[in-house]
């Protein structure tokens, strides 16, 4: 991908995601789980800016910035190093993350930063990686990273990295409530394994009714089909999420679900006005940190044009 003059700072905007269906299979020998993961990109964004520097450096601003690691464990840093290695160069870049996606919230914020860093460094360095090469690097970085690159809506199979685009027939409105604290994705999968140890976990499959609701842009039908197999595990580790889910439904949400591995909760609402009502009720309650109203689908990682 290209589109910027090599050498000048480049900014890329990348969306968060919600899983409208997250069907989880049994643990595989490699420790991952086979998924049928229906991703929908939503209008909360991180912006990743890549600028020339003497050495790899990361900075971060935004409401949750103090929770973001600024060393080489940061997924955006790992993305820059991986791209540099693949194209035989040094990762001399300053990555700045302007963070609006809740950290450790189950909304793929770290994955968004990785996809953003790849696209930004590719443009900054003029490496000219193809879309297929970028998607392959994304999959190496994490199961959700390819979707952060493509955005829109997609069915992710394998460990979530094999994507098939899905049609969405209209906008869906959401409220996202960020919880006080985070949940570790591996810990939630381990809890899933513990809770399902005595049962035969079926092979994961996307529900036809859910795909039809997305195609038709039918929020009521989608509300009836939302499903997250990780929700019992997230609730087991973070029991107060049950109160948040109930409070959103009481305030008029069509449906409530834990977003991915949590602890962010997602509320599907009829329209923007209903979203504002639900968000206000959630903010007034004791259990969530912030509540944001936004719509979907949102586009994938994209360069932000420079104003000069
Ligand atoms: O791929 P990613 O690094 O985002 O995954 C984080 C962790 O989530 C993995 O180490 C694994 O514990 C768990 N995971 C899983 N099955 C998947 C995706 C993630 O068990 N399909």
């Amino acid at each position: 991908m290209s589109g910027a003059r090599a050498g000048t700072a480049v900014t890329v905007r990348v969306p968060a995601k919600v899983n409208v269906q997250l069907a989880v299979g049994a643990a595989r020998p490699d420790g991952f789980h086979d998924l049928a993961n229906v991703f929908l990109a939503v209008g909360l964004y991180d912006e990743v800016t890549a600028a020339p520097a003497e050495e790899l450096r990361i900075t971060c601003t935004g409401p949750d910035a103090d929770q973001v690691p600024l060393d080489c464990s940061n997924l955006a840093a790992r993305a820059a190093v991986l791209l540099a290695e693949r194209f035989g160069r040094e990762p001399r870049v300053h990555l700045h993350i302007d963070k609006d996606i809740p950290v450790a919230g189950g909304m793929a914020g770290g994955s968004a930063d990785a996809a953003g860093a790849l696209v930004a460094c590719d443009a900054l360095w003029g490496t000219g990686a193809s879309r297929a090469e970028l998607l392959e690097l994304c999959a190496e970085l994490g199961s959700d990273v390819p979707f952060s690159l493509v955005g829109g809506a997609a069915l992710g199979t394998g460990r979530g990295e094999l994507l098939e685009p899905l049609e969405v027939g209209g906008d869906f409105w959401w409220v996202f409530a960020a919880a006080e604290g985070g949940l570790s994705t591996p810990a939630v999968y381990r809890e899933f394994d513990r809770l399902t140890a005595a049962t035969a976990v079926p092979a994961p499959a996307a529900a036809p009714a859910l795909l039809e609701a997305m195609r038709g842009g039918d929020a009521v039908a989608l509300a009836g089909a939302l499903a997250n197999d990780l929700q019992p595990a997230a609730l087991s580790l973070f029991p107060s999420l049950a109160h948040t889910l109930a409070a959103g439904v009481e305030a008029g949400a069509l449906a409530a679900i834990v977003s991915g591995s949590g602890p962010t909760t997602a509320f599907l609402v009829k329209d923007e006005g209903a979203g504002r009502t639900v968000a206000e009720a959630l903010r007034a309650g004791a259990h969530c940190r912030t509540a944001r109203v936004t719509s979907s689908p949102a586009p994938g990682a994209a360069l932000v044009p420079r104003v000069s």
Side-chain angles (χ1 to χ4, degrees):
M1 271 170 97
S2 60
R5 204 151 36 86
T8 53
V10 177
T11 298
V12 174
R13 197 171 84 134
V14 199
K17 60 86 188 163
V18 63
N19 308 89
V20 286
Q21 185 187 1
L22 182 46
V24 181
R28 313 190 309 200
D30 66 1
F32 283 89
H33 296 70
D34 275 324
L35 305 178
N37 194 347
V38 183
F39 290 107
L40 184 62
V42 301
L44 299 181
Y45 301 91
D46 281 358
E47 286 194 354
V48 181
T49 299
E54 284 304 306
E55 56 183 14
L56 179 59
R57 193 159 78 85
I58 304 239
T59 52
C60 185
T61 48
D64 287 356
D66 58 336
Q67 296 167 51
V68 176
L70 300 179
D71 57 17
C72 48
S73 69
N74 185 300
L75 214 47
R78 285 172 43 204
V81 169
L82 186 63
L83 184 75
E85 268 171 18
R86 204 53 56 91
F87 286 87
R89 57 180 302 143
E90 292 299 315
R92 294 203 181 102
V93 63
H94 171 201
L95 292 173
H96 178 75
I97 302 169
D98 190 5
K99 193 143 212 33
D100 200 33
I101 304 174
V103 174
M107 297 194 74
S111 300
D113 300 343
L118 274 183
V119 174
C121 290
D122 176 60
L124 179 73
W125 297 335
T127 36
S130 66
R131 185 83 168 167
E133 284 170 319
L134 287 177
L135 280 170
E136 195 190 307
L137 296 175
C138 285
E140 278 185 48
L141 289 161
S143 309
D144 288 351
V145 183
F147 180 71
S148 298
L149 184 76
V150 304
L155 171 62
T157 52
R159 60 183 167 85
E161 85 285 19
L162 306 171
L163 296 178
E164 184 192 316
L166 293 175
E167 212 186 303
V168 187
D171 287 344
F172 294 106
W173 283 90
W174 298 88
V175 178
F176 292 98
E180 215 51 84
L183 272 175
S184 137
T185 302
V188 175
Y189 275 101
R190 276 197 303 276
E191 183 66 0
F192 170 87
D193 291 339
R194 195 183 68 80
L195 294 175
T196 57
T199 52
V201 179
L210 178 120
L211 300 180
E212 181 53 37
M214 299 243 293
R215 256 196 309 275
D218 183 338
V220 172
L222 183 61
L226 293 180
N228 180 0
D229 287 353
L230 291 182
Q231 182 159 313
L235 288 174
S236 164
L237 297 176
F238 210 129
S240 68
L241 295 182
H243 298 293
T244 315
L245 293 171
V249 171
E250 199 170 312
L254 298 172
I257 195 166
V258 171
S259 177
S261 56
T264 299
T265 40
F267 302 86
L268 182 59
V269 289
K270 173 163 79 38
D271 53 26
E272 188 175 10
R276 274 198 231 105
T277 307
V278 169
E280 265 167 43
L282 290 171
R283 282 188 211 113
H287 295 289
C288 79
R289 186 160 53 94
T290 58
R292 307 276 302 273
V293 183
T294 188
S295 66
S296 62
L303 291 172
V304 176
R306 293 193 76 78
V307 277
S308 51

